Amino acid sequence: MQRIPSAPSISRRSKIIAPKVEIVVACEGKVTEREYLESCKQEYGSGLVALRFLPITGVPITVVNAAIEERERLLLEQRRSRNSFDVFRVWAVFDRDEHPRVNEAIELAKSNRIDIAFSNPCFEIWPLLHLINYGGQDDRHRIQRRLRALMPQYDHENGAVIDFDLVKDKVDDAFNRSKSLLLQRETEGIPLGCPSTTVGILVRKIIENGRGRFSRHNNNS
């Protein structure tokens, strides 16, 4: 009797892709920024980006000092080990808010090659720019209320989690609007003045180091 060949297996071994770049974040906040950036990694990073948050939180100068210490540690580890990431970037994420020594923190970060995702007056301006072309000089409380009006799921008093599904496909709009705000502040002679944010630069780095789902961002630098 002729033997009937068995059907080929429909299961295949999935190829595990190791992350190519590590983004390390020292962050002022405990919830809003972290959850949003984790969602960015999942949506845009496609397994090629490792995202790690330092445990310390606090005022900007504390965040920047933690970032500097971690960068120095990673550089030393990179020289000693072949298993460390070939490429890593250390970011400090913080707001203008009403914090002391903000300008000092910014200059300290720059002088120690720490990337900055800075928002003035608060982080919420970045998701707001996904939804409207905003350019007002409101304080953080008004911006948070504006965001709540457009994003009912967001509640600053109860977790302040960004509705990522609402904004994830509007990142181009947010990036272009934030770029325009930064240019306006530069023209006015008040770099990083209110309103402005550089969070989009960090998000773009996650996108660029992912699989290029939003590859058109590469032409917006």
Side-chain angles (χ1 to χ4, degrees):
M1 179 182 295
Q2 184 178 6
R3 185 175 180 180
I4 300 174
S6 59
S9 173
I10 62 173
S11 63
R12 295 181 179 179
R13 293 182 179 178
S14 59
K15 186 177 180 180
I16 298 175
I17 303 176
K20 303 298 183 184
V21 61
E22 181 180 42
I23 295 176
V24 182
V25 177
C27 192
E28 170 193 334
K30 296 180 180 179
V31 178
T32 311
E33 299 92 332
R34 292 175 183 237
E35 294 212 7
Y36 170 78
L37 291 172
E38 279 287 357
S39 296
C40 285
K41 185 197 76 169
Q42 295 299 324
E43 180 70 17
Y44 312 134
S46 300
L48 297 179
V49 176
L51 181 65
R52 177 166 58 88
F53 291 93
L54 301 183
I56 193 168
T57 58
V59 297
I61 199 72
T62 301
V63 168
V64 170
N65 279 323
I68 293 170
E69 182 178 339
E70 179 65 8
R71 183 176 183 275
E72 291 174 350
R73 187 191 70 80
L74 288 172
L75 286 171
L76 180 61
E77 182 179 279
Q78 191 178 63
R79 288 192 290 266
R80 290 177 174 175
S81 173
R82 294 181 179 179
N83 296 323
S84 60
F85 282 90
D86 291 332
V87 179
F88 68 84
R89 300 294 298 187
V90 182
W91 286 77
V93 180
F94 57 94
D95 302 345
R96 167 64 269 188
D97 204 343
E98 298 174 2
H99 295 304
R101 304 172 67 187
V102 171
N103 291 338
E104 180 184 346
I106 291 172
E107 292 306 314
L108 183 64
K110 289 179 179 178
S111 64
N112 285 274
R113 302 186 68 180
I114 301 297
D115 295 303
I116 306 170
F118 174 73
S119 299
N120 190 347
C122 60
F123 177 82
E124 282 80 2
I125 191 175
W126 169 246
L128 185 63
L129 288 172
H130 289 68
L131 305 174
I132 60 173
N133 188 14
Y134 171 81
Q137 293 186 338
D138 294 328
D139 63 20
R140 62 189 175 95
H141 301 294
R142 289 183 179 179
I143 287 179
Q144 289 159 358
R145 287 196 293 269
R146 282 178 178 269
L147 183 62
R148 176 70 186 275
L150 296 168
M151 184 184 289
Q153 181 175 313
Y154 171 85
D155 184 352
H156 186 264
E157 302 304 320
N158 292 286
V161 176
I162 303 302
D163 184 351
F164 190 75
D165 286 338
L166 184 63
V167 300
K168 66 182 181 181
D169 293 325
K170 300 175 182 178
V171 66
D172 280 328
D173 291 335
F175 182 79
N176 289 330
R177 289 166 179 167
S178 66
K179 187 176 179 181
S180 178
L181 289 179
L182 289 168
L183 181 59
Q184 290 173 35
R185 302 294 83 79
E186 289 277 355
T187 301
E188 295 164 355
I190 49 170
L192 301 181
C194 180
S196 65
T197 178
T198 62
V199 172
I201 300 173
L202 171 53
V203 174
R204 189 182 66 177
K205 292 303 179 185
I206 294 173
I207 293 170
E208 288 176 349
N209 288 289
R211 289 180 177 171
R213 175 178 174 181
F214 293 88
S215 59
R216 58 186 178 276
H217 273 277
N218 294 338
N219 298 321
N220 288 339
S221 58

